[in-house]
Amino acid sequence: MTQHFAAIEGLSPLDAARSETVVRIVDLKRRFGQTPAVDGISLTVRKGEVLGIIGRSGAGKSTLIRCLNGLERPDGGQIFVEGREITGLGERELQPLRRRIGMIFQHFNLLSAKTVEENVALPLKLEGRPNAERLKRAGELLELVGLADKAKAYPASLSGGQKQRVGIARALAARPAVLLSDEATSALDPETTRSILALLKDINRKLGLTILLITHEMEVIRSIADRVTVIDAGRIVEEGPVWSVFAHPKSEVTRSLLGSIRPQLPEQLAARLRPSGREAVLRLDISGEAARRPLLSELATSIPGRFRLIHGGIDHIQDEPVGTLFVGAATETGGIAAVIEFLNHRGARVEVLGYVADNV
Ligand SMILES: Nc1ncnc2c1ncn2[C@@H]1O[C@H](COP(=O)(O)OP(=O)(O)OP(=O)(O)O)[C@@H](O)[C@H]1O
Ligand SMILES: [Mg+2]
C-alpha cells in the first residue's frame, strides 16, 4: 500500500495517504413518492478528511447519510466504501461492510440496560470477538474519549456530553473506515458542543479518522471541517475548502446558511446610515492575499480621502485569513467609485452600506 502511495508523483506520503478515497458516491438518487430527497449527488471523501455537509431542513442530508450506512436503499447511483461497491448488495453481504462505517446520533442511541463499557463493546460482540478483547478495546476507547472512570456506569447517570463521548467510542470500536455524524452536537449546549468537536478533531488527527458530518451549526463546520458541501433540494449547489466557501459563498442558499456567522455592522451604527452623506460606510469582505496585505494604508496613500476602520476584523479558518472590515471613507465627490475599483482590484469584495454625516 505504502509503495503504491509513494508512487503517486509529486505527493508527500501524507498527501498521498490523504488522496486515497474512502467514500465515493456517484449520481445517487432516492425519492419518496413525488419528493426527490436525493437527486443525483456525487461526492468523494478522502482518507483523514473531515467533510461537512450543510443545507436547509429537508435538503436531503440525512437521506444521503442513511443511504451511505445502509439504512436507506437508493433508487439509483452507486456508493463505494474503500473501493467496494455497497449499492445493490443483499443484507448478508452488506453486514460486514456496514461495520466499516461508524455512526453517531443526535440522541446518542445508547442501550440503557447496558453499562458504558458494554455499550462501547457492542459492535465487537456483534462481530463475535472474544470477551477479553472486547473489554480491552472498550477500555482503550473510553480512555481516548476521557471516560475511563465511567466504564461500569449506566448511560442514565451520564450528562449529554458524556453520552455522546460514549457514542463516539462505540462508533470507533470496530475501527471504521469513516465516521458519520448526523447532528451529533445539536442536543448539546455550546460549551459541551465545543468539547465534543475538539474530541472529534483530536481523534481525526491522532488516528487519521475520516469524518463525514452533517450539521445546522456553521460554527461546527468552521471549527472542524476541511471541506464543505452545500446541498439544496437533493442536489449539490456548492462545495470547496471551508475557508473558501465561507469567504466567497456563491449560492444564495449558502449565503443564507452562513448568515448567522457573517459579521454585521452593529445595530446602533446601522441605524444611522442614510442614502447620502459625507462619509460612505463600506463593507469589505477579504480573504487570502487581500487579507494579508496592508490594504487600508495602500488605499490611503493612493486615493485622496480619509479612511477609518469602524468595525470588524480578520479571523482564521484553516490558517487562511478570512475577514470583514467596515470602513468609513470620506472622499471628494465621485471618489467612492475609485475606492471601490481600487479595492476590487486587490481582491476585496466591496459593498456600500450607506452614508453617514461624518464621524459617527
Ligand atoms: N422516510 C421518508 N418518507 C417520506 N419522505 C421522507 C422520508 N425521509 C425523508 N423524506 C423527505 O425527503 C426530504 C429530505 O429529507 P431529509 O431528512 O434527508 O432532510 P435533511 O436535509 O436531513 O433535513 P433536516 O435538516 O431537517 O434534518 C424531505 O422532503 C423529507 O420530507
Ligand atoms: Mg436530517
Side-chain angles (χ1 to χ4, degrees):
M1 287 290 253
T2 320
Q3 252 178 356
H4 165 70
F5 294 143
I8 301 175
E9 220 175 300
L11 291 179
S12 73
L14 187 71
D15 286 343
R18 270 199 148 212
S19 72
E20 186 189 348
T21 297
V22 175
V23 174
R24 188 157 73 93
I25 294 175
V26 184
D27 198 23
L28 196 74
K29 293 188 173 137
R30 174 71 168 117
R31 60 165 54 241
F32 297 104
Q34 290 303 304
T35 312
V38 173
D39 194 18
I41 286 186
S42 299
L43 56 83
T44 58
V45 192
R46 290 183 288 270
K47 189 165 169 50
E49 173 175 66
V50 182
L51 175 68
I53 296 185
I54 58 175
R56 292 191 276 231
S57 186
K61 307 177 295 294
S62 295
T63 306
L64 172 68
I65 225 168
R66 287 167 61 81
C67 288
L68 188 50
N69 69 9
L71 290 174
E72 200 76 73
R73 289 257 168 203
D75 302 321
Q78 294 165 293
I79 300 174
F80 301 86
V81 176
E82 295 178 310
R84 295 167 72 186
E85 185 170 0
I86 63 168
T87 20
L89 291 183
E91 196 56 33
R92 271 184 57 189
E93 302 157 300
L94 197 57
Q95 277 299 334
L97 288 173
R98 222 178 243 158
R99 287 195 208 100
R100 301 299 300 142
I101 299 171
M103 176 104 186
I104 51 175
F105 305 87
Q106 181 175 6
H107 297 296
F108 324 123
N109 297 14
L110 302 178
L111 298 178
S112 57
K114 298 212 176 286
T115 63
V116 161
E117 180 181 65
E118 287 164 346
N119 267 283
V120 174
L122 195 64
L124 299 175
K125 191 172 184 184
L126 298 177
E127 270 188 5
R129 299 296 176 84
N131 194 36
E133 182 192 328
R134 296 193 317 244
L135 291 181
K136 180 167 177 286
R137 177 87 180 130
E140 289 164 6
L141 286 164
L142 287 172
E143 188 81 43
L144 179 74
V145 301
L147 284 181
D149 57 333
K150 298 285 185 195
K152 306 289 181 208
Y154 283 88
S157 69
L158 303 181
S159 70
Q162 289 171 330
K163 283 180 192 162
Q164 196 55 291
R165 284 169 190 270
V166 177
I168 292 170
R170 180 187 54 189
L172 298 178
R175 303 179 198 276
V178 58
L179 177 72
L180 308 181
S181 160
D182 191 352
E183 300 289 358
T185 55
S186 50
L188 304 173
D189 62 68
E191 195 185 329
T192 312
T193 294
R194 276 195 291 278
S195 82
I196 292 292
L197 294 176
L199 173 65
L200 286 176
K201 192 76 208 175
D202 187 48
I203 297 172
N204 162 255
R205 291 205 181 111
K206 263 193 202 144
L207 309 182
L209 182 69
T210 309
I211 303 177
L212 200 163
L213 66 87
I214 289 178
T215 181
H216 279 114
E217 299 159 288
M218 298 305 119
E219 284 298 339
V220 171
I221 300 289
R222 187 193 353 222
S223 62
I224 78 162
D226 300 304
R227 275 196 305 137
V228 61
T229 295
V230 187
I231 292 182
D232 196 45
R235 292 167 178 263
I236 293 179
V237 292
E238 189 161 351
E239 62 188 328
V242 173
W243 74 267
S244 157
V245 172
F246 276 39
H248 310 287
K250 292 189 187 72
S251 71
E252 199 41 58
V253 179
T254 315
R255 268 195 287 277
S256 120
L257 289 169
L258 291 177
S260 62
I261 60 162
R262 206 166 175 244
Q264 302 296 340
L265 194 63
E267 258 175 50
Q268 68 272 29
L269 289 176
R272 292 190 195 167
L273 295 176
R274 299 285 175 265
S276 64
R278 276 271 304 137
E279 185 180 24
V281 176
L282 310 177
R283 177 194 173 99
L284 271 55
D285 287 300
I286 51 180
S287 61
E289 189 46 35
R292 282 192 198 95
R293 59 194 306 160
L295 203 58
L296 293 183
S297 70
E298 287 176 357
L299 178 64
T301 50
S302 309
I303 296 182
R306 219 166 36 74
F307 304 99
R308 64 191 181 109
L309 183 59
I310 297 175
H311 182 71
I314 295 180
D315 200 1
H316 283 77
I317 306 178
Q318 301 171 303
D319 296 331
E320 277 293 323
V322 175
T324 302
L325 306 179
F326 296 91
V327 172
T331 58
E332 294 160 9
T333 314
I336 283 302
V339 169
I340 294 171
E341 198 196 325
F342 180 93
L343 293 169
N344 281 338
H345 187 66
R346 280 154 186 80
R349 276 226 328 261
V350 187
E351 193 185 334
V352 181
L353 299 178
Y355 295 82
V356 288
D358 210 353
N359 273 337
V360 287

